Amino acid sequence: MEIHHVVRMLFSCLVDADYLDTEQFMDETSSRMRESYSSIVDLKERLDRYIGRFSSSAPSVVNRLRSEVQRMCEERSAMTPGVFELTVPTGGGKTVASVVWAVNHACRHGKQRIIIAIPFTSIIMQTAQVLREIFGSENVIEHHSVMSDEMINERTRLAAEN
């Protein structure tokens, strides 16, 4: 990574930390609203229930491969934090498998949130819908360029700016 990227990231972190500290002192209502999400442990329980539904799925080659990808993601979630890549063909269960990795990795390494960056708006919207099914809409913040006014509320705005 080039130094100017590191400097920009550090400056962004500093500005964000200052803003949040000021908000906590000046606007307790907004500050509390930022903290009103389920814990990673609670999200893991929801994910486990969601995945449990797959056990009654008809056995097939695709379902067996999806389960294998999920199992591998769960195993690798114990690895030291860093940059990871998941390459799976279309229909291979990447969305759920990546969330299995992310939630388990967050639990094992004391992380408090998961941020998913996706390149295309249509895929963002599809993924957000799956995440809402798993975690509940109150725990998913969808943010992209075609957000309608109905999709944005104070809680969403606060989460997106942080």
Side-chain angles (χ1 to χ4, degrees), residues 9 12 22 32 48 54 61 63 67-68 72 79 81 93-94 99 104 106 109 112 126-127 139-141 145:
M9 180 58 111
S12 177
T22 302
R32 269 190 253 112
D48 291 343
F54 298 146
V61 173
N63 287 340
S67 294
E68 180 65 14
M72 291 170 62
M79 294 174 72
K94 287 183 294 293
V99 170
N104 282 286
H109 298 287
Q112 297 179 358
Q126 291 170 4
T127 301
N139 290 305
V140 176
I141 301 299
S145 61

Side-chain angles (χ1 to χ4, degrees), residues 91-142:
K94 287 183 294 293
T95 300
V96 174
S98 64
V99 170
V100 165
W101 177 86
V103 168
N104 282 286
H105 190 75
C107 284
R108 288 181 171 133
H109 298 287
K111 307 297 181 189
Q112 297 179 358
R113 62 179 147 183
I114 297 165
I115 299 171
I116 300 173
I118 303 171
F120 301 108
T121 307
S122 60
I123 299 172
I124 293 170
M125 295 168 83
Q126 291 170 4
T127 301
Q129 182 56 42
V130 172
L131 296 176
R132 282 191 288 274
E133 289 173 23
I134 297 170
F135 301 122
S137 59
E138 70 279 7
N139 290 305
V140 176
I141 301 299
E142 180 179 352

Side-chain angles (χ1 to χ4, degrees), residues 54 57-72 91-93:
F54 298 146
S57 297
S60 70
V61 173
V62 172
N63 287 340
R64 201 168 49 254
L65 290 172
R66 286 177 177 163
S67 294
E68 180 65 14
V69 170
Q70 287 176 19
R71 186 191 61 72
M72 291 170 62

